[in-house]
Amino acid sequence: MNLPQHDLAPPIQVTRPSMPEFEAYVEMIRPLFETRWLSNNGAHVRALESELTDVLGVPYVSLLTNGHLALETAIDVLGLTGEVITTPFTFASTTHALVRKGITPVFCDINPIDYTIDVTKLEALITEKTTAILPVHVYGNVCHVEEIDRIAKRYGLKVLYDAAHAFGVTHDGQSIATYGDMSMFSFHATKVFHTIEGGALAYRDGAFKTAVDLAVNFGITGPESVEAVGGNAKMNEFQAAMGRCNLPRFRDDVRKRRAIVERYDKRLKDVPTLRLNRRAEGTESNYAYYPVLFKGDRRRRDEMMDWLAEHGIFARKYFYPLVTDFACYAFEANVPNAKYVSDRILTLPLYPDLTMEMVDRICDVIIEGGNRP
Ligand code: T4K
């Protein structure tokens, strides 16, 4: 196949943030230049928290400066100690949050179908020191939430979901945020819904609200009163304003993402060397990522990534290396499925502005690259 236009086309990154109209954002931040109330639980933060409780279907949503600090805050608020069972197939943040809080991560393998934590291997990892399970709805694929809930109840464990990828996802008609004790969402610029940087904790138990508030703002309870050793993880007004501009556009963005995913599926489903992401029955996805697994030798994935880059297409190895192989860690873990997937997975460009022509171009390059000797 002849692909001469590739050299001329602008590069395609794995993602590109969705942006509101410039004027809409300016209108949203204009009052801040009058009020000069820029942070510390301002009006936009309070309004966005309220708007998000509706979207996420939980009574409590607390906004934080980013998803990572939201995870660390949740670990504190839930009182996690000792060991926490988690997945190695995730972004660095999930494990770093545990380790930075003095907790030993215990790695459970993933299932090879949807890449979430393998619930059949969870119980064998529980010890007297286990206080919680920290699963990840990776790519927005829903963890086996009912089974995780059953195991947690049986052993008296807390469940904290890393839902960084899963904003707006529903399972059996129920918001993903309603599972477990708490869910953390990332609102980083690269996410389906973003506040530039940002994150949230969603939870049903009002008892956590005060503890989150204290943790996020230095434990301050009044002008002359500090009741807890909190830190600073406050979202500012410019972040929240961006969120308030983006939120009404979120459903439309998901529709655009779905159309792109359907096009990818159609073009790539019969490529014998590829295994596409499977979205579970009963799940309404947010189409956050488009991972493809290259079967066979792991070099196939690396060569394809280079081939795509030669054509100006920058896919990413989310998530390689596995957390357990990070230079800063020396964890022993029996996680063969995670290793297999991490060595072969590539996430293709996916964002609302990606045109069908670009998707076709990416697919053409992949198919041509796969046919090379
Ligand atoms: N848990 C999980 C499972 C996560 O995936 C993450 C974050 C977290 C926890 C922590 O949440 P946050 O604290 O971040 O809220 C990116 C994101 O920075 C990170 O938020 C995300 N996961 C991770 C999966 O992806 P990098 O190191 O890949 O980012 P970077 O700078 O290479 O950007 C990726 C692509 O996005 C670039 O090729 C171009 C594009 N981009 C990026 C930015 C920042 C833009 O076009 N504009 C931009 O402003 O981590």
Side-chain angles (χ1 to χ4, degrees), residues 13-17 65-71 89-94 136-138 162-165 184-191 196-199 289 314 316 318-319:
Q13 303 294 340
V14 69
T15 189
R16 192 159 188 265
T65 194
N66 60 51
H68 180 80
L69 281 178
L71 265 184
F89 189 66
T90 183
F91 191 56
S93 170
T94 320
V136 179
H137 300 300
V138 67
D162 181 332
H165 302 175
M184 178 283 283
F185 294 90
S186 166
F187 300 150
H188 182 260
T190 55
K191 298 296 187 289
I196 310 170
E197 289 273 0
Y289 292 87
F314 297 94
R316 290 292 285 267
Y318 292 137
F319 290 98

Side-chain angles (χ1 to χ4, degrees), residues 140-142 169-172 279-285 287:
N141 290 349
V142 177
V169 171
T170 64
H171 172 68
D172 288 342
R279 287 170 294 279
E281 292 268 314
T283 293
E284 202 165 311
S285 180
Y287 306 93

Side-chain angles (χ1 to χ4, degrees), residues 48-98:
L48 185 58
E49 283 181 345
S50 164
E51 288 159 13
L52 289 173
T53 58
D54 290 341
V55 178
L56 291 173
V58 285
Y60 299 97
V61 172
S62 300
L63 287 168
L64 290 88
T65 194
N66 60 51
H68 180 80
L69 281 178
L71 265 184
E72 290 199 10
T73 301
I75 290 166
D76 281 341
V77 168
L78 293 173
L80 309 190
T81 55
E83 296 176 359
V84 169
I85 302 174
T86 188
T87 165
F89 189 66
T90 183
F91 191 56
S93 170
T94 320
T95 308
H96 285 355
L98 291 170

Side-chain angles (χ1 to χ4, degrees), residues 339-358:
K339 180 99 187 102
Y340 180 91
V341 173
S342 173
D343 281 345
R344 289 165 181 79
I345 206 85
L346 198 61
T347 44
L348 302 183
L350 174 55
Y351 48 88
D353 292 346
L354 195 70
T355 64
M356 290 303 164
E357 290 71 28
M358 287 155 119

